[in-house]
Amino acid sequence: MRNPLSVALNATILRAPRTGIGQYVASLASALAAQQLVQPQLFTGLGWQQSVPEAAMPGYSQLSRLVKSVVPKAYQVRRAVEQRLFTQGVERLQPALYHEPSLWPFEFEGPMLMTLHDLTHVHYPQTQPADRLAEIARCVEPALDRARVILTDSQFVADELQRHYGVARERLKVAPLGYAQRFHPRPLADLGRVTAPLGVTPGSYLLCVGTLEPRKNLALALRAYALLPEAVRRRYPLLIAGMAGWRRDDFAAELQAALASGQVRLLGYLDDERLAELLAGARMLLFPSLYEGFGLPVLEAMASGVPVLLSPSSALPEVAGKAGTYVEAGDPEGWCRAILRLIEDQAEWQARRVAGLEQAQGFSWKRCAGITAAAYRQALEH
C-alpha cells in the first residue's frame, strides 16, 4: 500500500465546544485516517497532532471571552501567533497540501483546498458580529481565489458560490456530511438516565437543537409551541439544546416568557453522547432554521429514528428529502398544525420515522471522506 497523503488540516476550532464545523473537522479527520489514504496533520493552534482531540479545551469559551475583553485586537494577535506556529509545523512536517475547513486560511506556499459550509455572511449579515463580518470581507474572496478546489456540504451552496462569487464549476466538489454511529434508534426504556434528571419521559418531548441565534429561527418554534393546546404542552414539553450565540437578545423576551411557563426547558450545550440519547427519545425534532448549508441535526435525527419538522429553505430539502415534514419558516399556525399531526397521528409519525431512517442511509462520513480524498488528488493535479 502506498504511503498515506500528508495533509495539513486546520483544527483550531476543536479547542471550542463542538458545533457544526467542529463536528465536521473531527469526523472528517477520523474518517480520512480510517481509510488510510490520507494522514491528516491536525493544527490545533498550539501545536500539531495526528489524532483528534477527545474534547474541547477546558474553559476555552470563558478564556476566549476574557482575552477579547482585555487584549486590544485580540483576534489579530492570536492569528499572528497561530500563523507562526502553523508555518513552523509545515516546515517540519512537509504536508503535500493544506485543507482549510472554514473561511480564513493560513498563509501556505503549496496547494490549498478549502471547505465553505454556507453563505450566511451574504444572506444574513445581521446575524453576524460586525468584527466577524469585517474579517470575512477581508479574507473570503482572496481565499476563494487561492483555493485549487472548494468543497461544499451541499449542491445548494455550490450553486450559490457560482452565482455570488463566480467560482467555476470545475473547482467545486460537493461532499455531503455524515452522521456519527452514536446516532441510532434506541429503546425508550434505555433513555431514562438522560431524561429523568430533566423531568421528562422518553418519547414525550419535543426537541430543538442549534446555536441560539436569529438565523436558527427559534422564535418561530416558540410561537408555534405556544399555540398548542395546554394539555398537549403539559404532556410534551419543548427542550432546547444549544449554545448561546450572536444576537440572542433579539428573541430573549419570547424565550424568557416560554421558560417561565415551565413547559419549555433551556438545556445549553450538551456533550455528544448525551445529545445523541436525548435526540433518540424525542417525539420529533423542530428545525425552523432560515438558512443552512446542510443542517447536521436533521440528518442525526433521521438516523436516530426521529421525525423532523423543518422549513423548506436552503439546503435542508437536500438532507431530509421526502422524509421531512416541511412548513414555511414564517407560518407558526402551520407549524402548530404539523406538530399536532405528528403527535396525534401515529401512522403518520411512523411513516416519517421509517422514511427518515431510509433517507439517512445515503449519508456517511466514509463517503464524505472519500469525496474529500478525491478533491485532494484533484488539487494536487491542478
Side-chain angles (χ1 to χ4, degrees), residues 212-250:
L212 304 186
E213 58 177 280
R215 176 171 62 93
K216 298 298 184 179
N217 204 20
L218 177 61
L220 173 66
L222 296 174
R223 290 166 195 160
Y225 184 76
L227 294 174
L228 293 172
E230 172 71 20
V232 173
R233 284 183 277 123
R234 282 199 303 269
R235 184 180 174 191
Y236 289 90
L238 172 61
L239 308 184
I240 302 169
M243 297 173 60
W246 304 301
R247 290 185 57 184
R248 179 177 162 184
D249 290 345
D250 285 12

Side-chain angles (χ1 to χ4, degrees), residues 74-334:
Y75 174 83
Q76 290 85 345
V77 172
R78 188 195 73 193
R79 186 71 176 184
V81 172
E82 290 177 346
Q83 178 66 65
R84 182 175 180 180
L85 294 172
F86 180 83
T87 300
Q88 290 174 347
V90 164
E91 291 172 352
R92 175 172 55 86
L93 297 169
Q94 294 293 301
L97 58 80
Y98 163 40
H99 182 179
E100 171 54 50
S102 190
L103 297 172
W104 300 280
F106 290 108
E107 295 175 10
F108 181 77
E109 293 185 358
M112 190 270 283
L113 173 149
M114 68 185 293
T115 301
L116 200 147
H117 299 278
D118 58 58
L119 269 65
T120 301
H121 59 282
V122 172
H123 299 294
Y124 294 93
Q126 70 276 16
T127 69
Q128 307 279 319
D131 57 347
R132 178 181 171 90
L133 279 176
E135 199 63 22
I136 291 173
R138 185 179 71 85
C139 295
V140 68
E141 291 198 48
L144 292 173
D145 289 340
R146 279 177 56 198
R148 292 190 178 182
V149 179
I150 302 165
L151 288 161
T152 66
D153 304 337
S154 61
Q155 186 61 51
F156 171 81
V157 175
D159 293 343
E160 285 203 310
L161 278 170
Q162 283 189 278
R163 290 193 301 268
H164 188 79
Y165 288 109
V167 177
R169 182 176 294 274
E170 58 269 20
R171 293 175 58 218
L172 295 167
K173 208 165 189 70
V174 178
L177 309 185
Y179 60 92
Q181 293 305 304
R182 62 181 174 272
F183 294 103
H184 58 82
R186 303 174 188 238
L188 295 182
D190 294 347
L191 299 175
R193 182 182 69 85
V194 69
T195 60
L198 302 174
V200 297
T201 304
S204 295
Y205 57 86
L206 314 181
L207 184 63
C208 284
V209 176
T211 303
L212 304 186
E213 58 177 280
R215 176 171 62 93
K216 298 298 184 179
N217 204 20
L218 177 61
L220 173 66
L222 296 174
R223 290 166 195 160
Y225 184 76
L227 294 174
L228 293 172
E230 172 71 20
V232 173
R233 284 183 277 123
R234 282 199 303 269
R235 184 180 174 191
Y236 289 90
L238 172 61
L239 308 184
I240 302 169
M243 297 173 60
W246 304 301
R247 290 185 57 184
R248 179 177 162 184
D249 290 345
D250 285 12
F251 53 90
E254 286 180 280
L255 180 58
Q256 290 305 316
L259 295 174
S261 73
Q263 295 160 348
V264 176
R265 325 275 175 82
L266 189 59
L267 308 182
Y269 178 82
L270 301 181
D271 64 65
D272 292 344
E273 185 59 30
R274 190 178 176 208
L275 177 60
E277 291 181 0
L278 194 67
L279 186 52
R283 180 68 179 184
M284 70 192 76
L285 176 73
L286 307 183
F287 202 77
S289 182
L290 296 170
Y291 176 86
E292 295 289 330
F294 187 80
L296 195 54
V298 170
L299 176 59
E300 293 167 345
M302 293 190 302
S304 302
V306 174
V308 181
L309 177 55
L310 69 169
S311 59
S313 67
S314 51
L316 292 175
E318 280 187 58
V319 180
K322 295 180 180 179
T325 297
Y326 298 97
V327 183
E328 291 295 337
D331 182 7
E333 292 82 6

Side-chain angles (χ1 to χ4, degrees), residues 9-11 13-14 16 18-33 40 42 50-55 101 180 182 272 365:
L9 178 61
N10 182 3
I13 195 168
L14 297 184
R18 290 174 197 173
T19 53
I21 298 180
Q23 295 290 1
Y24 168 78
V25 172
S27 299
L28 176 63
S30 297
L32 285 168
L42 306 181
Q50 292 187 347
S51 60
V52 175
E54 290 187 6
R182 62 181 174 272
D272 292 344
W365 285 114

Side-chain angles (χ1 to χ4, degrees), residues 327-359:
V327 183
E328 291 295 337
D331 182 7
E333 292 82 6
W335 275 72
C336 177
R337 290 191 296 271
I339 292 170
L340 280 173
R341 185 176 182 193
L342 286 173
I343 287 175
E344 296 172 349
D345 188 337
Q346 184 63 23
E348 174 68 9
W349 182 88
Q350 182 65 21
R352 294 296 181 178
R353 179 181 188 275
V354 171
L357 287 167
E358 293 175 353
Q359 176 73 4

